[in-house]
Amino acid sequence: QKEVEQNSGPLSVPEGAIASLNCTYSDRGSQSFFWYRQYSGKSPELIMSIYSNGDKEDGRFTAQLNKASQYVSLLIRDSQPSDSATYLCAVNEDGNNRLAFGKGNQVVVIP
Amino acid sequence: DGGITQSPKYLFRKEGQNVTLSCEQNLNHDAMYWYRQDPGQGLRLIYYSQIVNDFQKGDIAEGYSVSREKKESFPLTVTSAQKNPTAFYLCASSRYGTGKETQYFGPGTRLLVL
């Protein structure tokens, strides 16, 4: 089973600050990477997908991928209280449609 | 509206009982998935299906069964063999392809044991 690690504990950030989340993965052959946001008691919703090395920006969110170092990160700029949620990193397995998920990182934005 | 529906929202299971969770999608997706989420944990794959009348075991298939008789529907049965079924169950679907396809999730079913 491929491993996806999100080791940071709950992250508290002041409103307006940058939240930075990291994720490492074990399978060097992984091709697709996803960040999902999950509010308490709700189902995950896609925030970003990234497939190539480098940065991908979408509004206040930036995903960064480094396949050589096997990590993917998510930056949330100008954090808002509505960003308070758990963020799940997901990595595809072997180029098929199976995803391996990390345990998630909880983000709390303090007004 | 296109989307994924799951029912019921809450389900209670008695000892020794089999229960079935419903998942329906109208996104015309070929692939469907069932995940289990325990508190503070990520999602673990139970079963997945990439085409009608075919499905594969995921990482934690023991105590569960599925069927895929229609493209739109992928019900999950939690059998009495599953000794710790209390969890949040999530159904997802995606187009079938090279692995870059996004999985979209239904609202989930919370299963509790009486």
Side-chain angles (χ1 to χ4, degrees):
Chain A
Q1 180 178 352
K2 307 303 185 289
E3 294 188 355
V4 179
E5 298 287 340
Q6 294 180 258
N7 289 326
S8 302
L11 180 64
S12 293
V13 297
E15 185 174 354
I18 296 175
S20 177
L21 305 172
N22 294 315
C23 170
T24 59
Y25 58 94
S26 62
D27 181 15
R28 189 170 287 276
S30 298
Q31 299 178 14
S32 305
F33 307 85
F34 305 86
W35 283 99
Y36 285 86
R37 178 176 62 199
Q38 186 176 25
Y39 292 115
S40 180
K42 303 296 185 182
S43 60
E45 56 180 332
L46 182 73
I47 296 294
M48 295 279 289
S49 58
I50 186 167
Y51 312 113
S52 303
N53 280 329
D55 295 359
K56 180 181 178 183
E57 186 174 315
D58 184 359
R60 295 186 295 109
F61 298 95
T62 299
Q64 299 173 319
L65 175 60
N66 184 323
K67 289 185 179 180
S69 300
Q70 294 177 241
Y71 82 80
V72 55
S73 62
L74 180 70
L75 299 178
I76 307 173
R77 292 183 303 280
D78 188 23
S79 295
Q80 301 296 309
S82 60
D83 296 326
S84 297
T86 296
Y87 290 81
L88 300 169
C89 174
V91 178
N92 90 312
E93 295 186 5
D94 301 320
N96 59 34
N97 280 47
R98 287 188 55 153
L99 290 180
F101 283 83
K103 293 184 178 180
N105 284 128
Q106 184 181 8
V107 173
V108 179
V109 180
I110 303 168
Chain B
D1 283 340
I4 303 171
T5 58
Q6 291 186 244
S7 62
K9 186 174 182 179
Y10 295 96
L11 186 57
F12 299 91
R13 193 189 91 164
K14 295 180 180 179
E15 198 75 32
Q17 186 182 37
N18 292 353
V19 293
T20 297
L21 285 61
S22 169
C23 177
E24 304 276 335
Q25 55 97 2
N26 61 4
L27 300 169
N28 200 32
H29 285 167
D30 291 301
M32 298 186 74
Y33 314 80
W34 274 106
Y35 293 92
R36 167 179 173 145
Q37 187 176 35
D38 294 281
Q41 301 295 312
L43 279 62
R44 291 185 291 169
L45 184 64
I46 304 173
Y47 269 99
Y48 64 107
S49 168
Q50 295 172 328
I51 195 169
V52 173
N53 292 323
D54 188 41
F55 48 83
Q56 289 77 40
K57 292 182 179 180
D59 300 315
I60 55 166
E62 185 175 352
Y64 301 96
S65 66
V66 293
S67 62
R68 186 85 187 277
E69 297 177 0
K70 297 187 301 182
K71 186 176 183 178
E72 302 80 15
S73 177
F74 191 40
L76 173 74
T77 296
V78 183
T79 74
S80 57
Q82 172 52 244
K83 298 305 180 186
N84 184 22
T86 297
F88 189 38
Y89 289 87
L90 290 158
C91 177
S93 71
S94 74
R95 294 183 300 175
Y96 175 64
T98 59
K100 293 186 176 181
E101 289 69 27
T102 298
Q103 291 188 18
Y104 298 93
F105 287 87
T109 292
R110 203 167 293 278
L111 177 61
L112 300 168
V113 177
L114 295 177

